[in-house]
Structures are given as C-alpha cells and as structure tokens.
Amino acid sequence: MTTTPQVNPVLRTPPASPAAAAAYFSASLAFHADVSDVASVLAAFAAGGANPGFVLVDTRSTAAWDQGHVPGAVHLPTALVPERAEDLLDRSVPVVTYCWGPGCNGATRAALALAERGFQVKEMLGGFEYWVREGFAYETWEGPAEKAADPLTAPVGTGDCGC
C-alpha cells in the first residue's frame, strides 16, 4: 500500500526570502494606515496637538456619510474624485482614504484615482466599519455617536493593542 505524503497547505508555496518579505511589507506600510493610528493622531490634533499631516477622506455616498463618518473627515465620494479632488484637497498634504470596511474597495479605487491625479495617498485599513468596531467616536446626520469597542477588534480596558 502506497501512501501519498500530506502536503502542508501553509507551506505548499514556501515563504519569501527575508529580503523579499521586508520589501513587500515595507511597501505595504507605504500604502496603508491602521484605524487605531489614524484615530490617535486625529485625537491628539483635536486636543490641541500638532497638525496631523494628512487629510482623511470618506469615499462613500452621501447616504453612507449621513449614516456615520469619522469626525473631521472630508466627504469625497469615489465617483466624484475626478471632478472635485482639485477643489477639496491640497496636493502637498497626504490623503488617507476610507470606505465601509474590508469588504469594500471604494477607498482603494479612490486612492488610485487620487494617485493618478498627483496626490500622495494611503488607504485606512478596516474603513468605517473598524473605526466603529474599535470604539472610536463618529458623527451621523443626527450628531455625535459612539459604540463600545468590539473585543474581537480592540483590547478591552486599554487603548493600546501593543501592535
């Protein structure tokens, strides 16, 4: 009886070399921002700290914006980037885009459209969904709102996940 060796599905394709992995992950950080990092910088600015050095752009529809958005964000739906970006944004200030969440690529499409127009841009990983799930305050058409942090996305009792 011949047995076929089991293939480890994780290592079926071997890991990249350390140098290739370092290049990949370094590039990834150049394109993405974490929700918690964005929140901490915006909170420091709101408390009288230094200018955050970027503008946060909500790329969703007006109905989505009204349902909830990050305080201080600029509303620029993805479809309107070609006609409105020049009026709303300054090319010398990096832009961080967000949409609904990990299942939506609206922020990615907006980031592409902005980059094609000469803007420096990153995408906020997790989007509005993770902003709310991590317990950060947001605004709706009715006013400020906040929900308790989801313990599956943020540590309970501390604002620092230690990442």
Side-chain angles (χ1 to χ4, degrees):
M1 172 173 187
T2 306
T3 60
T4 305
Q6 292 292 336
V7 175
N8 178 334
V10 172
L11 299 175
R12 182 178 299 134
T13 301
S17 71
Y24 172 84
F25 292 117
S26 176
S28 178
L29 292 171
F31 298 111
H32 301 109
D34 179 85
V35 166
S36 295
D37 291 340
V38 171
S40 69
V41 171
L42 293 180
F45 175 63
N51 182 310
F54 63 88
V55 62
L56 186 62
V57 173
D58 185 315
T59 67
R60 300 169 305 140
S61 69
T62 299
W65 169 268
D66 288 345
Q67 185 174 326
H69 58 271
V70 175
V74 171
H75 185 220
L76 178 58
T78 300
L80 298 179
V81 167
E83 64 191 68
R84 307 242 5 249
E86 302 291 328
D87 297 330
L88 295 174
L89 304 171
D90 178 345
R91 273 201 181 80
S92 69
V93 178
V95 175
V96 177
T97 62
Y98 75 90
C99 61
W100 275 112
C104 177
N105 69 359
T108 306
R109 288 184 285 114
L112 172 61
L114 288 164
E116 289 173 340
R117 285 160 181 76
F119 291 90
Q120 297 176 65
V121 64
K122 287 187 167 200
E123 180 181 3
M124 184 174 78
L125 295 175
F128 184 68
E129 175 188 348
Y130 276 74
W131 183 273
V132 174
R133 287 183 73 187
E134 290 188 24
F136 300 117
Y138 58 98
E139 296 174 347
T140 73
W141 68 274
E142 297 175 305
E146 192 170 348
K147 294 185 179 182
D150 177 341
L152 295 177
T153 65
V156 176
T158 178
D160 182 11
C161 69
C163 292

